[in-house]
Coordinates of all heavy atoms in Angstrom, one line a residue:
Chain A
T348 N 75.4 31.2 124.9 CA 74.4 31.8 125.8 C 74.1 33.2 125.4 O 74.8 33.8 124.6 CB 74.9 31.8 127.2 OG1 76.1 32.5 127.3 CG2 75.1 30.4 127.8
I350 N 74.5 35.8 127.0 CA 75.5 36.7 127.3 C 76.5 36.9 126.1 O 76.7 38.0 125.6 CB 76.3 36.2 128.5 CG1 75.3 36.0 129.7 CG2 77.4 37.2 128.8 CD1 76.0 35.3 130.8
V351 N 76.9 35.8 125.6 CA 77.8 35.9 124.5 C 77.2 36.5 123.2 O 77.7 37.4 122.6 CB 78.4 34.5 124.2 CG1 79.4 34.6 123.1 CG2 79.0 33.9 125.4
V354 N 76.9 40.2 123.8 CA 78.2 40.9 123.7 C 78.6 40.9 122.2 O 79.2 42.0 121.8 CB 79.2 40.3 124.6 CG1 80.6 40.8 124.3 CG2 78.8 40.5 126.0
W357 N 77.0 43.6 120.5 CA 77.6 44.9 120.7 C 78.9 45.1 119.9 O 79.2 46.2 119.5 CB 77.9 45.1 122.2 CG 76.6 45.2 123.0 CD1 75.4 45.4 122.6 CD2 76.6 45.1 124.4 NE1 74.5 45.4 123.6 CE2 75.2 45.2 124.8 CE3 77.5 44.9 125.5 CZ2 74.8 45.2 126.1 CZ3 77.0 44.9 126.7 CH2 75.7 45.0 127.1
T358 N 79.7 44.1 120.0 CA 81.1 44.3 119.5 C 81.4 43.9 118.1 O 82.4 44.4 117.6 CB 82.0 43.5 120.5 OG1 81.6 42.1 120.4 CG2 82.0 44.0 121.8
I362 N 84.3 45.6 116.0 CA 85.6 44.9 115.6 C 85.8 45.1 114.2 O 86.9 45.5 113.7 CB 85.5 43.4 116.0 CG1 85.5 43.2 117.4 CG2 86.6 42.7 115.3 CD1 85.2 41.8 117.8
Y368 N 89.8 50.2 110.2 CA 90.7 51.3 110.5 C 92.2 50.8 110.3 O 93.0 51.5 109.7 CB 90.5 51.7 112.0 CG 91.7 52.4 112.6 CD1 91.9 53.8 112.3 CD2 92.6 51.8 113.5 CE1 92.9 54.5 112.7 CE2 93.6 52.5 114.0 CZ 93.8 53.8 113.6 OH 94.8 54.5 114.1
Chain E
K1076 N 93.0 56.0 122.0 CA 92.9 54.6 121.7 C 92.9 53.8 123.1 O 92.2 52.8 123.2 CB 94.1 54.2 120.9 CG 93.8 54.5 119.4 CD 95.0 54.2 118.5 CE 94.9 54.9 117.3 NZ 96.2 55.1 116.5
F1083 N 86.4 48.4 125.7 CA 86.2 47.1 124.9 C 86.7 45.9 125.8 O 85.9 44.9 125.9 CB 87.2 47.1 123.7 CG 86.9 46.1 122.7 CD1 85.8 46.3 121.9 CD2 87.7 44.9 122.6 CE1 85.5 45.3 120.9 CE2 87.4 44.0 121.7 CZ 86.3 44.2 120.8
I1086 N 84.0 45.0 128.4 CA 82.9 44.2 127.9 C 83.3 42.8 127.6 O 82.5 41.9 127.9 CB 82.4 44.9 126.6 CG1 81.8 46.3 126.9 CG2 81.2 44.1 126.1 CD1 81.4 47.1 125.7
T1087 N 84.4 42.6 127.0 CA 84.7 41.3 126.4 C 85.3 40.4 127.4 O 85.1 39.1 127.4 CB 85.6 41.4 125.2 OG1 86.7 42.2 125.6 CG2 84.9 42.0 124.1
T1090 N 82.9 38.3 129.4 CA 82.2 37.4 128.5 C 83.1 36.1 128.2 O 82.6 35.0 128.1 CB 81.8 38.1 127.2 OG1 81.3 39.4 127.5 CG2 80.8 37.3 126.4
H1093 N 83.3 33.8 131.0 CA 82.0 33.1 131.1 C 82.0 31.9 130.1 O 81.7 30.8 130.4 CB 80.8 34.0 130.8 CG 79.6 33.4 130.2 ND1 78.8 32.6 130.9 CD2 79.1 33.5 128.9 CE1 77.9 32.2 130.1 NE2 78.1 32.7 128.9
A1094 N 82.3 32.3 128.9 CA 82.3 31.3 127.8 C 83.3 30.1 128.1 O 82.9 28.9 127.9 CB 82.6 31.9 126.5
R1097 N 81.8 27.9 131.0 CA 80.8 27.2 130.5 C 81.3 26.0 129.7 O 80.9 24.8 129.7 CB 79.8 28.0 129.7 CG 78.6 27.3 129.3 CD 77.5 28.3 128.8 NE 76.4 27.6 128.2 CZ 76.3 27.3 126.8 NH1 77.3 27.7 126.1 NH2 75.3 26.8 126.4

Side-chain angles (χ1 to χ4, degrees):
Chain A
T348 56
I350 303 170
V351 182
V354 170
W357 289 349
T358 52
I362 293 174
Y368 164 75
Chain E
K1076 280 176 196 160
F1083 196 77
I1086 299 176
T1087 51
T1090 315
H1093 148 73
R1097 182 168 172 267

